[in-house]
Amino acid sequence: QVQLAESGGGLVQAGDSLRLSCASSGRFVTRAVMGWFRQAPGKEREFVAGFAWISGRTYNADYADSVKGRFTISGDYAKNIVYLQMNSLKPEDTAVYYCAVDIDRTFPSRARSDYNYWGQGTQVTVSS
């Protein structure tokens, strides 16, 4: 069983930065994909970013087009924490952000159904 806990959300102004964290209760011995998704009110949950953890190193980082160049996903395998650095935030980035784990793949899927475990989410609100 894996438990995930997000933190770092908040209310910021357009152009500001935030760093989200996702702490995991379980260590993935060989491989796992870590992903960030978001869900805005009235919209489907969508992929934001992800990478594969293979033997403690990160590979295959992937980003949604809407965040590419502004957001960066990274991880500290020793601490079991995944980060999402968000720069140049826009009002349309307002959403609940979730981290998720896919234990079956080595390349991040953009389909939420491929992820096995989810956190509870953290709210990010960007004012104009």
Side-chain angles (χ1 to χ4, degrees):
Q1 186 70 19
V2 175
Q3 293 184 326
L4 304 172
E6 303 94 337
S7 61
L11 172 63
V12 297
Q13 294 186 331
D16 286 351
S17 298
L18 274 177
R19 188 177 77 162
L20 305 183
S21 300
C22 173
S24 167
S25 65
R27 184 183 299 273
F28 312 108
V29 177
T30 54
R31 65 180 189 185
V33 164
M34 306 298 297
W36 284 98
F37 285 73
R38 67 186 181 186
Q39 188 166 16
K43 294 188 176 181
E44 295 289 318
R45 192 171 299 186
E46 64 176 1
F47 174 82
V48 175
F51 65 67
W53 250 336
I54 303 173
S55 299
R57 301 185 68 177
T58 61
Y59 297 89
N60 304 328
D62 187 33
Y63 296 91
D65 289 344
S66 59
V67 306
K68 197 171 295 183
R70 299 188 298 122
F71 291 11
T72 302
I73 187 172
S74 62
D76 186 329
Y77 190 77
K79 297 181 180 178
N80 275 5
I81 298 177
V82 178
Y83 302 102
L84 185 67
Q85 178 67 43
M86 306 186 296
N87 299 328
S88 303
L89 283 162
K90 304 175 181 180
E92 51 263 43
D93 295 319
T94 295
V96 177
Y97 284 71
Y98 300 88
C99 66
V101 176
D102 172 0
I103 61 175
D104 298 319
R105 292 170 180 78
T106 56
F107 194 95
S109 168
R110 296 189 175 195
R112 62 180 184 176
S113 60
D114 287 336
Y115 290 77
N116 310 99
Y117 302 98
W118 292 84
Q120 293 300 307
T122 185
Q123 176 71 46
V124 172
T125 303
V126 184
S127 63
S128 57

